[in-house]
Amino acid sequence: MDLTDESAVDLAVARAKDWLSRVAERPIAPAADVATVQEALGATLPPDPQAAVDVVGRLVAAVEPALIGSQSPRFYGWVIGGTHPVALAADWLVTAWDQNAAMRTTMPGTAAVEELAGTWLLDLLGLPASASVGFTTGATAANFAALAAARHRVLADAGWDVERDGLSGAPHVRVLAGAERHGSVDLALRYLGLGSAELAPADDQGRVDVPALATALADTTGPTIVVLQAGNLHSGAFDDVGSAARAAHAHGAWVHVDGAFGLWAAASPRLAHLADGLADADSWATDAHKTLNTPYDCGLAIVSRPADAVAALGAQASYLVDTATGHDPWTLVPEMSRRARGVPVWATLATLGRSGVVALVDGLVDAAQDLAAALRDVPGVAVLNDVVYTQVCVTFGDDERTAAVAAALRDDGEAYASTSRWRGVEVLRFSVSNAWTDAAEVRRTVDAVRRALGTVDRTA
Ligand SMILES: *Cc1c(COP(=O)(O)O)cnc(C)c1O
């Protein structure tokens, strides 16, 4: 193997740059499907070696037509951030360095960078400086890791050693979550053997009803976990974490916050009212690949008392190095081996600085509010949510018409948003998550929506 086969790497870099130079203007939806890509690549394993540079060339030619332009500043699907150039550069270095980011003393370079990234993040988000930060693949894994720490603590407080004795015969762990929690919370609870959460009612913006939560907790004494949300997928709304945490802590419950894209509001003085009380929770999950605009994949599992994370996720093995000075990265996440995905986080924070992160988050909210205001002016469009953060949910009349406009918008190619169901109706959801979505991009987006509406009306 030639580790310096620069022709393959050079071609990859050149084609990657070419992709990035075109992605903002190319039609957003993929123009080819899975079968087409596989046909172009050839379905059978080559019997003999091929030149690496040729493989890279064929890979790019076959795959590019089937890529979705999710880095476009007019892409609003799901919750998907763009790619900051410095994060991309750092991510490439991570791959070239190929460190297993598991152990602190044996892989000090990347461990040092990730620790700094974690420390800076806690400072930016106003979370306890003593909390642990584990780098996961995303917020799903971060919810899992943080809730594993929660499960450990509430059962330990009830005198049960879940790491040693498992869940069979354990005291029942009550889990309460808001009716509009994200589906990944359900998955995390399922992976942890905790079953489905009891659901506390939500208000018209999807925020947990705190008095109802307090009532549900009223006769609780045993191990209890309360899962709250900072940033509702549809409305962007934030649970009142301060009040909910007070009610939960009065019953000894652990409070976890899923803030996959919303936790970043805590960095912005302007958005402080949304983040009020966030720091009172016991654990938090968020993503860097959404709001911070680092490439996939990077989530963060934050636990206020690191010993709870290490007890749940660490393991004893003589060949793994223990340190007195810091927690080995692998003891805070499910993976024992992983890439140093925290390095692009550090690079992005180092490039933006504090004011740059605030401007990034405020800019997303400004663009979302601009978009909502402009869409409200389009006849036949209704904005369903209070646009307090980055999410804008709209309808175009009945479900059928909303679906038709969504399809016409995708065919138009200029902008892309996700369809979903919220509060019983079909919606088109715009998630402003790309740092390059500015007022001009919003205008182009609204023009595209007007064109899509025109297409639907002409064919109706
Ligand atoms: C995206 C999202 C998740 C899951 O995050 P992944 O990074 O996709 O694993 C969890 N909660 C909320 C609110 C989200 O928006």
Side-chain angles (χ1 to χ4, degrees), residues 95-329:
T95 302
W97 292 337
D98 198 20
Q99 305 285 289
N100 179 354
M103 288 175 283
R104 202 170 179 274
T105 38
T106 42
M107 325 282 172
T110 51
V113 178
E114 290 195 332
E115 276 181 27
L116 274 179
T119 304
W120 291 359
L121 265 168
L122 295 174
D123 178 24
L124 259 174
L125 302 178
L127 300 178
S130 53
S132 61
V133 180
F135 290 92
T136 62
T137 50
T140 305
N143 278 326
F144 167 78
L147 288 167
R151 186 185 69 169
H152 162 80
R153 172 48 45 207
V154 298
L155 282 171
D157 286 349
W160 187 265
D161 183 342
V162 70
E163 284 74 38
R164 188 189 63 203
D165 299 327
L167 283 172
S168 304
H172 175 66
V173 178
R174 250 191 112 185
V175 183
L176 288 117
E180 293 202 17
R181 79 234 164 267
H182 189 268
S184 64
V185 167
D186 299 327
L187 290 177
L189 295 172
R190 191 194 297 170
Y191 305 155
L192 287 161
L194 295 175
S196 305
E198 295 170 50
L199 299 185
D203 69 11
D204 65 340
Q205 299 299 311
R207 288 174 297 230
V208 111
D209 180 333
V210 177
L213 177 72
T215 305
L217 283 164
D219 50 359
T220 297
T221 50
T224 305
I225 299 170
V226 172
V227 183
L228 303 172
Q229 179 165 256
N232 178 292
L233 204 55
H234 291 102
S235 67
F238 288 60
D239 287 346
D240 180 354
V241 174
S243 305
R246 258 190 309 282
H249 284 152
H251 296 275
W254 177 290
V255 177
H256 172 70
V257 177
D258 173 10
F261 63 97
L263 207 60
W264 298 85
S268 161
R270 207 181 94 189
L271 302 172
H273 58 287
L274 297 175
D276 196 34
L278 267 184
D280 299 341
D282 300 290
S283 61
W284 305 262
T286 191
D287 271 320
H289 58 222
K290 291 178 177 173
T291 308
L292 191 62
N293 281 236
T294 68
Y296 285 103
D297 46 27
C298 188
L300 299 120
I302 306 170
V303 177
S304 62
R305 288 171 299 276
D308 292 329
V310 176
L313 298 157
Q316 306 306 319
S318 57
Y319 63 92
L320 296 168
V321 184
D322 214 2
T323 65
T325 47
H327 300 288
D328 277 331

Side-chain angles (χ1 to χ4, degrees), residues 11 80 166 259 267 385 425:
L11 181 63
I80 292 186
N385 63 308
V425 295

